[in-house]
Amino acid sequence: MQEMSAEEQAAFEHRLAGDQVLQFKVNEMKLLIIGINESMLTQKLEIFHEEVKTATPVRSIQSVKKYAYRKWLAAASVVILAGITVFYFATKPSLQEQLYQTYYSADPGLMTTMSSASDNYTFEKAMVDYKSGDVWNAIESWEQLQTANPLNDTLNYFLGSAWLKLDHQEKAIPYLQQVANKQASVFNADAHWYLGLALLQQGNRSEAVAEIKKSDHPQKGALLKDISNMNNK
Amino acid sequence: MRQNIASGFNDQVSLVRALKANDDAVLKILYRDNYPKAERYVLENSGTEEDAKDVFQEAFIAAWRNIQLDKFYPENETALAGYIFQIAKFKWIDRLRADKKNRVISIDETIRPWQKENEENESNDDDFIQQVKKSFKNLGEVCREILSRFYFKKESLRTIASHTGLTEATARNNKYRCLQRLREMVKTT
């Protein structure tokens, strides 16, 4: 409604007044949006509460009155700080990060035949998305399948691989852990390798080493040696 | 003395606009400045800090919802703070009533500022919204990300596309598909 001109809005409201089906649809849409927003607001309130309980310094009356001005200043500070931080880390990545970048190479994915069986089709279409770089779409499809089959090692392995491809190591770890715990899985050894790399990138060296040792990756020995050298620095 | 957030706005329109836009800083200050009073009330009336947190957050969301739906239009910060506190207070009294072991101080019960006429319709709407919230939790992470960026953070499809590595057209399609999926999940539960 906010994007309509006054004339369009008046015409829409006129139509709405005489059309019960449209009224229902508009109301349903409104409630869907309220529900989405309340879900997000609920999460926000938990964060605000933590801040209240950890005694965030109270803003003065004057500073509140200058809220709009301060907001821009704060935003500018955040941008500058973020810029400095990004610059610092871009120019000086941690040793773990350097090793991760050296040894990580995305899983190339599986061959696809685009079977007509519905679940296989969804899986394989997602695999095409994964390989062509449309990783968000792949994750979306695999997540749906994984919800119905939470223990499926193929889905868990490729969800982990997809999150790694997007540089979300923290999201990849739980999926890869499931496959790493499943010795019978054909993806078990690879899951150990990628899990080890993800843990390394996250700064968890000891667990990373344990996982990498269980993999059979050709670069396993070299990576373990580099981590050992890093520990000695 | 602490001052409520709306003092920072010269007019009522700015305050309502900021709340409708889910302005993070405004919501945060509103929470921070009004929670202590509600907590004091609950603690003085047989409640715990956890109870205070629950009823205050319920009240906060109820006030926010009524502002979104244009059912409440706060004239100033005092009105908004008073509104949230009234809701929290009545919610706490209702809880105490439900627990027969407790006795509650007597107050005027005729006013429930967030509940007006059409209670039956409001109850149906509330059931629907609760269902949406449950289903949203079970929606895939990608869909939650897109819908929350678009509807809660009010980001444009172009911005969403740049954050997610999608084209603007794909972001639009995905937003539509995700909303459809959420609608279907609500209908089937």
Side-chain angles (χ1 to χ4, degrees):
Chain A
M1 293 285 277
Q2 285 165 349
E3 291 171 3
M4 291 180 185
S5 68
E7 259 179 38
E8 286 170 334
Q9 191 167 332
F12 180 77
E13 280 170 1
H14 181 71
R15 192 184 150 205
L16 188 63
D19 187 338
Q20 286 196 335
V21 175
L22 186 61
Q23 280 172 25
F24 175 81
K25 284 184 177 171
V26 168
N27 191 50
E28 186 191 54
M29 185 68 197
K30 191 168 68 181
L31 298 178
L32 275 167
I33 294 170
I34 291 280
I36 293 166
N37 284 346
E38 283 189 14
S39 299
M40 299 307 299
L41 184 61
T42 305
Q43 291 175 23
K44 288 264 172 210
L45 297 189
E46 285 300 318
I47 297 167
F48 298 162
H49 194 81
E50 283 303 307
E51 290 179 11
V52 168
K53 284 293 155 190
T54 50
T56 315
V58 177
R59 186 181 292 188
S60 72
I61 295 169
Q62 288 310 311
S63 67
V64 170
K65 283 186 174 170
K66 289 176 183 169
Y67 168 74
Y69 169 67
R70 293 280 306 263
K71 186 181 167 188
W72 285 109
L73 265 186
S77 310
V78 168
V79 168
I80 291 166
L81 189 61
I84 292 168
T85 309
V86 166
F87 178 76
Y88 178 77
F89 283 107
T91 52
K92 193 174 186 298
S94 68
L95 291 169
Q96 290 103 307
E97 180 69 35
Q98 286 175 38
L99 281 185
Y100 176 82
Q101 296 297 346
T102 305
Y103 286 93
Y104 171 73
S105 162
D107 187 292
L110 300 176
M111 292 274 287
T112 49
T113 53
M114 300 302 277
S115 151
S116 59
S118 62
D119 271 5
N120 276 348
Y121 178 83
T122 307
F123 176 83
E124 293 186 358
K125 166 76 175 59
M127 185 58 76
V128 172
D129 287 338
Y130 171 85
K131 291 201 282 190
S132 64
D134 201 349
V135 185
W136 283 99
N137 266 347
I139 289 176
E140 192 188 330
S141 302
W142 283 335
E143 269 186 345
Q144 283 175 55
L145 296 175
Q146 197 262 2
T147 305
N149 301 286
L151 301 177
N152 184 296
D153 58 328
T154 309
L155 288 169
N156 284 320
Y157 177 75
F158 282 105
L159 274 165
S161 300
W163 282 118
L164 285 186
K165 222 173 176 181
L166 290 175
D167 239 9
H168 279 284
Q169 290 78 11
E170 77 291 349
K171 286 179 177 157
I173 288 171
Y175 289 116
L176 295 171
Q177 270 167 339
Q178 289 216 39
V179 189
N181 290 335
K182 212 170 184 176
Q183 288 191 348
S185 169
V186 292
F187 300 105
N188 183 262
D190 287 338
H192 282 300
W193 172 253
Y194 285 111
L195 178 58
L197 280 173
L199 289 165
L200 180 66
Q201 194 273 349
Q202 296 280 294
N204 194 339
R205 288 189 206 180
S206 57
E207 282 187 36
V209 167
E211 293 299 332
I212 292 161
K213 280 181 178 169
K214 292 178 198 162
S215 82
D216 59 5
H217 196 274
Q219 289 183 294
K220 167 181 162 181
L223 176 54
L224 288 171
K225 195 176 166 190
D226 281 344
I227 295 173
S228 172
N229 291 339
M230 184 172 70
N231 288 337
N232 295 332
K233 278 186 183 175
Chain B
M1 185 182 152
R2 297 175 94 181
Q3 188 89 354
N4 290 331
I5 178 61
S7 303
F9 295 94
N10 294 325
D11 59 278
Q12 159 191 31
V13 176
S14 305
L15 172 63
V16 171
R17 190 181 294 146
L19 291 169
K20 284 195 171 185
N22 299 320
D23 187 309
D24 203 54
V26 174
L27 292 170
K28 186 187 292 186
I29 297 171
L30 189 61
Y31 189 99
R32 191 199 61 189
D33 286 357
N34 288 287
Y35 175 74
K37 186 179 173 188
E39 185 184 85
R40 258 197 316 279
Y41 178 82
V42 172
L43 294 179
E44 284 167 6
N45 287 282
S46 322
T48 63
E49 280 192 18
E50 198 55 32
D51 295 326
K53 178 187 164 193
D54 285 351
V55 293
F56 181 73
Q57 293 194 349
E58 283 175 23
F60 194 98
I61 289 173
W64 175 90
R65 184 191 291 181
N66 283 347
I67 289 168
Q68 303 294 317
L69 295 172
D70 296 320
K71 290 180 181 171
F72 174 61
Y73 207 80
E75 287 178 11
N76 50 45
E77 79 270 28
T78 313
L80 180 57
Y83 186 66
I84 295 173
F85 179 70
Q86 285 294 310
I87 300 175
K89 190 166 92 171
F90 284 123
K91 280 187 181 290
W92 178 238
I93 288 167
D94 286 346
R95 279 204 193 185
L96 288 175
R97 286 255 161 70
D99 180 358
K100 291 177 185 168
K101 286 180 283 183
N102 285 292
R103 297 222 171 272
V104 190
I105 52 170
S106 172
I107 59 145
D108 179 4
E109 297 171 36
T110 56
I111 310 160
R112 288 286 189 276
W114 70 101
Q115 289 173 340
K116 291 187 179 163
E117 65 277 10
N118 299 325
E119 285 206 1
E120 193 180 333
N121 283 345
E122 303 227 338
S123 168
N124 288 341
D125 286 355
D126 186 59
D127 289 347
F128 187 89
I129 290 170
Q130 296 310 324
Q131 209 52 60
V132 173
K133 288 161 80 171
K134 272 188 200 160
S135 300
F136 187 74
K137 271 188 197 162
N138 296 324
L139 204 59
E141 184 156 355
V142 174
C143 277
R144 285 203 307 271
E145 176 90 7
I146 289 177
L147 294 180
S148 63
R149 279 181 181 274
F150 188 79
Y151 290 112
F152 187 75
K153 296 181 182 169
K154 317 288 183 198
E155 288 181 358
S156 68
L157 286 166
R158 180 173 296 177
T159 307
I160 295 170
S162 72
H163 280 292
T164 52
L166 303 172
T167 64
E168 196 174 334
T170 312
R172 180 179 290 108
N173 285 341
N174 284 3
K175 190 208 80 177
Y176 175 76
R177 278 165 39 202
C178 291
L179 197 62
Q180 284 297 100
R181 190 171 305 142
L182 181 63
R183 184 183 277 125
E184 281 158 19
M185 285 167 78
V186 172
K187 279 182 184 165
T188 53
T189 47

